[in-house]
Amino acid sequence: MSARPIATDAATDSPLRIMNAPSSFEQRLESSGGQPFVFDHGDMRTLHFDHKYVQSAMSISAPDKLLLSYTRAMMGFMLFQPAPKHILLVGLGGGSLAKYCYRHFPEARITVLELSAEVIALRDHFMIPADDQRFQVIHTDAAAYMQAQQGNIADIIMLDGFSADGPAEALSTSGFYAACLRNLAAGGILVSNLWDRPDFLVQAIGQALAASDWRIWWCRTSDSHNCIAFFIKGSVTPLFRTMILRRAKKLDAQFGLQLSELVPSFQLVRDQPEEESV
């Protein structure tokens, strides 16, 4: 273990330096007994599974703010579906995406699937809302949960499930992705944080769905190696980028998510030549 740990966000591969006295972090790590734990430095509160990665980060004074660029990028689903009725998130972590959606979509129902009871037990530390009529955290295996559903359960599904070492294997199969897509309502969007996976994995998912009319657009966040993929139903129009950039600018003016910076980097996973003129 480094005497002055430099943690890399497991979901972003973006360096976050733990600047407290080294002994403070090390003592907290040792006392955790191998369980997820919370660490504070000034206004920053972070979630850790071990010494290697920061799993989630929160501003204590602004707990609903999206600090990490990959979380802002995942909110890019609003480019395609701006008014979801039900948002389902896979992976709770520190609840950054869950809290943001709960605050900014007051008419939507928010469901979060989380495998780790220990992570759920830390929800109050990250000021995650209590369960109510429109917000629920479910302790479950997301892969089994998705397979058991009969379809048409959510307008938005956001995949952000990670273990201590990276993306959870059970949430990385084409079968799991197919189950997620099957469970989307008409006009729904699947958003996935693919971390720093190479392009061929995105291509493999695309090939598994080649017989359908799903399209996969993906981009990298500007300050990390993250790939964020958006699964969108239907054909691609020639004015796709123009329309999406126009929407991004409007959303940025309202939410400040910097989505317009991502749009130029969008790439289409395809087996055929590009369907649009750029």
Side-chain angles (χ1 to χ4, degrees):
M1 182 188 303
S2 170
R4 188 178 181 82
I6 300 178
T8 303
D9 184 270
T12 66
D13 201 30
S14 178
L16 293 173
R17 295 176 179 267
I18 305 300
M19 301 300 291
N20 285 56
S23 60
S24 176
F25 181 84
E26 291 177 356
Q27 290 171 3
R28 188 70 190 89
L29 173 63
E30 292 174 2
S31 67
S32 71
Q35 299 299 318
F37 65 95
V38 174
F39 185 74
D40 287 355
H41 166 61
D43 189 51
M44 181 76 72
R45 177 166 295 168
T46 50
L47 173 67
H48 302 261
F49 293 165
D50 53 27
H51 68 284
K52 293 187 295 184
Y53 300 121
V54 171
Q55 296 289 335
S56 189
M58 180 188 80
S59 166
I60 297 172
S61 63
D64 294 343
K65 183 178 181 180
L66 295 178
L67 295 183
L68 304 177
S69 62
Y70 94 93
T71 58
R72 296 192 295 272
M74 290 188 74
M75 293 304 301
F77 73 75
M78 290 190 289
L79 296 168
F80 315 102
Q81 169 54 276
K85 296 178 181 178
H86 183 200
I87 301 172
L88 188 148
L89 299 98
V90 175
L92 176 64
S96 298
L97 287 166
K99 289 183 294 184
Y100 192 86
C101 290
Y102 186 75
R103 175 180 178 182
H104 291 283
F105 295 92
E107 302 301 319
R109 183 160 58 95
I110 315 295
T111 302
V112 186
L113 310 181
E114 173 55 54
L115 180 63
S116 171
E118 292 76 18
V119 168
I120 295 174
L122 298 175
R123 63 188 292 173
D124 289 346
H125 291 276
F126 289 94
M127 306 181 199
I128 296 170
D131 287 6
D132 60 24
Q133 61 182 359
R134 70 180 191 89
F135 184 83
Q136 184 180 21
V137 177
I138 302 175
H139 179 208
T140 188
D141 179 333
Y145 181 96
M146 286 297 188
Q147 291 292 347
Q149 304 307 305
Q150 300 302 310
N152 193 29
I153 64 171
D155 302 288
I156 303 295
I157 298 176
M158 306 178 77
L159 305 182
D160 193 30
F162 285 77
S163 66
D165 298 316
E169 291 185 10
L171 309 182
S172 303
T173 68
S174 59
F176 175 70
Y177 276 84
C180 290
L181 294 171
R182 184 183 71 246
N183 286 314
L184 283 170
I189 306 295
L190 173 65
V191 188
S192 179
N193 176 18
L194 300 178
W195 205 30
D196 61 350
R197 297 175 179 181
D199 297 348
F200 75 81
L201 182 55
V202 183
Q203 290 283 1
I205 296 171
Q207 289 167 7
L209 303 175
S212 73
D213 59 348
W214 287 95
R215 298 293 184 270
I216 307 171
W217 286 88
W218 68 275
C219 62
R220 289 191 184 275
T221 55
S222 59
D223 60 355
S224 73
H225 297 296
N226 283 65
C227 291
I228 306 299
F230 300 88
F231 292 69
I232 303 162
K233 193 115 177 177
S235 61
V236 178
T237 70
L239 297 178
F240 175 85
R241 292 187 198 274
T242 301
M243 292 189 302
I244 296 304
L245 182 57
R246 187 180 303 121
R247 293 176 191 172
K249 290 179 178 178
K250 290 182 179 179
L251 289 170
D252 285 347
Q254 183 177 358
F255 297 100
L257 294 171
Q258 301 173 308
L259 297 178
S260 57
E261 297 179 9
L262 291 178
V263 172
S265 70
F266 273 20
Q267 299 183 52
L268 177 66
V269 176
R270 61 193 183 278
D271 296 317
Q272 302 297 325
E274 181 120 8
E275 301 175 49
E276 64 164 350
S277 57
V278 179

